[in-house]
Amino acid sequence: MLDLRRRDFLKLFGIAGTGAVLSGCGEPATRYLIPYINPPEDVVPGKAVYYATTCRECPAGCGMLAKNREGRIVKVEGNPAHPVSGGKLCMRGQASLHGLYNPDRFTGPMQRNAAGGFDPITWERGEAILAAKLSEAVRKGDSGRIVVMTDLITGSLRDLTGFWLSEMGRRNTHIMYEPWSYEPLKKANQAVFGRDAIPTYRLDELDFLISFNAGFLETWISNLEFARQYGSFHPISSERKNTFIFVGPRLSMTANNADLWIATRPGTEYAVGLGIIRAILDKNLAPELPAKGRAALASMVGNWSVAKSAAVAGCDPGLIGSRVRSRPHRSRRQKVCRGGSPSRDLRGPFSMFAQCNRNRRCRKSAVHRQIRRPLSDRLQPAILSYPGRQG
Ligand code: SF4
């Protein structure tokens, strides 16, 4: 039997983005001068207590330790035992405490007023309004709409949400909004590798890397993990300094760390990718490529030339035609990343297809070793039917 008070349930949604362990701060302020005469079992007054939890500022889900002093979280740090964070947090993870203590945060229910703004109301009033609206929706049956909208939640909280909705007679009405979504990447992997999943990348195992606007040192998929791997891939002082090329419009932190930045017009990174494939085919830089694969690539690039790619992307054709094409084929282990904001970019899935296809053809690439799948013909119909394809 689920034992959860209504207000606790509502508060759970309120603090979901900050991490369940931080929920102690949702309680009323301490009313006693010495609150810990009878302390909780795991608390020694005057000594910090650390709770292991998960950062929810992005989908990477880094493990972190929350330092608790007398019932208040005062600091969060990476959990050294966690495989993703490895003891570190990025700046968003470090700043997650602001969601808990920022004076501008919502501290209780709010009601929209006639002017379009929000007025604070009491919990009792908020609960009464919510109960009335829910009862009305349930009474209307199918015509009543009940939708729970949250940020990305997983595990017990997602189960609890589903349980609550099913009790209300609703199914599949839980909408999760995730600004850093990777749906195009998942769709591309579904088409190329047959799996609707985001693969595990091992940048530290590569010796050549090209990123199509994937800011993997800032936001892309699991930037903390990638930053650690990038340290091995591209050490500051070492004999083994591998090559990294960034293709994108902005001199981001990731671009700043590249050996070569190919500046493009926003949204035209795909053209550089097509130009690179064209250069590789024309110069026969991948002689080991089977005839079927070569034909598939030739069909994909159509009549794209290096010059056309450079004209569309607004970059120097020499960067595509000479410097880029001379590097990948020499490398034993290669990787292509496509990032940026793919869910807002109509060409996102197309670029992802190109990236995945190329990763699949690099038989020693980190991606290929993660997802070993036979050559699939599904890629070609998917690309040929893409409405934005030109030439
Ligand atoms: S990458 Fe940063 S924001 Fe994302 S989960 Fe890890 S610490 Fe949090």
Side-chain angles (χ1 to χ4, degrees):
M1 175 86 177
L2 193 62
D3 183 17
L4 188 67
R5 288 183 301 140
R6 184 165 53 192
R7 195 169 302 177
D8 291 336
F9 179 72
L10 296 175
K11 281 180 180 176
L12 268 177
F13 285 109
I15 53 89
T18 313
V21 77
L22 310 184
S23 63
C25 295
E27 296 300 315
T30 303
R31 297 183 187 281
Y32 303 101
L33 193 58
I34 308 174
Y36 277 173
I37 289 178
N38 295 311
E41 196 176 322
D42 56 346
V43 170
V44 176
K47 283 191 71 173
V49 182
Y50 292 83
Y51 293 99
T53 183
T54 305
C55 177
R56 302 302 301 143
E57 296 297 311
C58 87
C62 291
M64 68 180 183
L65 295 176
K67 182 180 180 181
N68 183 309
R69 287 296 305 263
E70 283 80 42
R72 292 287 179 269
I73 304 297
V74 295
K75 183 81 175 80
V76 287
E77 265 304 343
N79 184 346
H82 196 273
V84 177
S85 65
K88 305 280 190 285
L89 289 181
C90 76
M91 62 187 96
R92 278 172 297 150
Q94 290 284 357
S96 59
L97 269 187
H98 285 282
L100 200 56
Y101 297 128
N102 192 302
D104 293 334
R105 75 193 190 283
F106 288 145
T107 55
M110 309 284 280
Q111 186 173 26
R112 194 177 288 283
N113 56 32
F118 285 104
D119 293 328
I121 56 175
T122 63
W123 276 102
E124 287 72 21
R125 170 118 181 91
E127 287 179 10
I129 294 173
L130 180 64
K133 295 285 183 188
L134 288 174
S135 302
E136 186 186 341
V138 170
R139 202 171 48 247
K140 285 181 178 172
D142 286 344
S143 60
R145 290 182 301 166
I146 299 176
V147 172
V148 174
M149 189 168 174
T150 66
D151 54 6
L152 179 67
I153 57 175
T154 58
S156 305
L157 190 53
R158 187 172 64 181
D159 293 347
L160 175 65
T161 309
F163 173 78
W164 182 82
L165 280 168
S166 66
E167 288 291 299
M168 301 298 293
R170 299 297 188 280
R171 283 199 188 137
N172 303 325
T173 52
H174 179 198
I175 298 173
M176 286 191 265
Y177 173 65
E178 173 49 61
W180 305 110
S181 76
Y182 299 104
E183 295 311 313
L185 179 56
K186 288 166 77 176
K187 278 191 171 24
N189 280 315
Q190 173 72 46
V192 178
F193 297 113
R195 287 197 196 170
D196 179 16
I198 298 172
T200 302
Y201 296 104
R202 291 296 304 267
L203 305 189
D204 53 330
E205 292 189 4
L206 305 175
D207 52 21
F208 180 83
L209 171 64
I210 181 165
S211 166
F212 289 89
N213 208 17
F216 59 84
L217 295 180
E218 299 139 283
T219 53
W220 196 66
I221 299 185
S222 186
N223 51 288
L224 207 57
E225 195 177 11
F226 290 151
R228 197 169 58 248
Q229 294 177 1
Y230 187 74
S232 303
F233 167 83
H234 205 273
I236 292 175
S237 59
S238 168
E239 293 278 303
R240 177 178 174 262
K241 194 176 283 273
N242 300 307
T243 304
F244 168 40
I245 296 175
F246 186 88
V247 181
R250 190 170 69 88
L251 187 58
S252 60
M253 188 170 84
T254 308
N256 242 319
N257 280 279
D259 299 294
L260 173 65
W261 171 40
I262 300 180
T264 62
R265 295 191 183 100
T268 62
E269 301 88 352
Y270 74 98
V272 176
L274 291 171
I276 291 172
I277 296 173
R278 168 57 64 204
I280 290 172
L281 291 176
D282 287 353
K283 298 289 179 181
N284 196 24
L285 296 176
E288 73 284 358
L289 202 62
K292 187 178 177 185
R294 183 179 297 276
L297 280 177
S299 165
M300 188 174 79
V301 295
N303 64 359
W304 280 82
S305 63
V306 171
K308 179 180 175 180
S309 299
V312 170
C315 65
D316 179 358
L319 293 177
I320 302 175
S322 59
R323 292 195 64 173
V324 174
R325 80 184 179 204
S326 67
R327 292 171 189 263
H329 72 288
R330 292 198 198 130
S331 306
R332 290 175 295 112
R333 293 164 295 192
Q334 313 157 28
K335 167 79 182 82
V336 179
C337 302
R338 169 61 170 88
S341 302
S343 52
R344 293 190 292 275
D345 177 0
L346 286 178
R347 290 194 170 90
F350 170 72
S351 301
M352 295 290 178
F353 284 131
Q355 165 213 316
C356 294
N357 198 28
R358 191 173 185 287
N359 282 334
R360 181 162 57 77
R361 287 171 203 293
C362 298
R363 299 197 62 80
K364 288 182 178 175
S365 79
V367 175
H368 188 272
R369 275 178 282 115
Q370 296 289 341
I371 308 176
R372 289 189 178 87
R373 295 274 301 181
L375 185 67
S376 163
D377 291 327
R378 279 171 294 181
L379 175 66
Q380 284 310 308
I383 286 182
L384 292 174
S385 64
Y386 173 65
R389 183 170 183 266
Q390 300 163 0

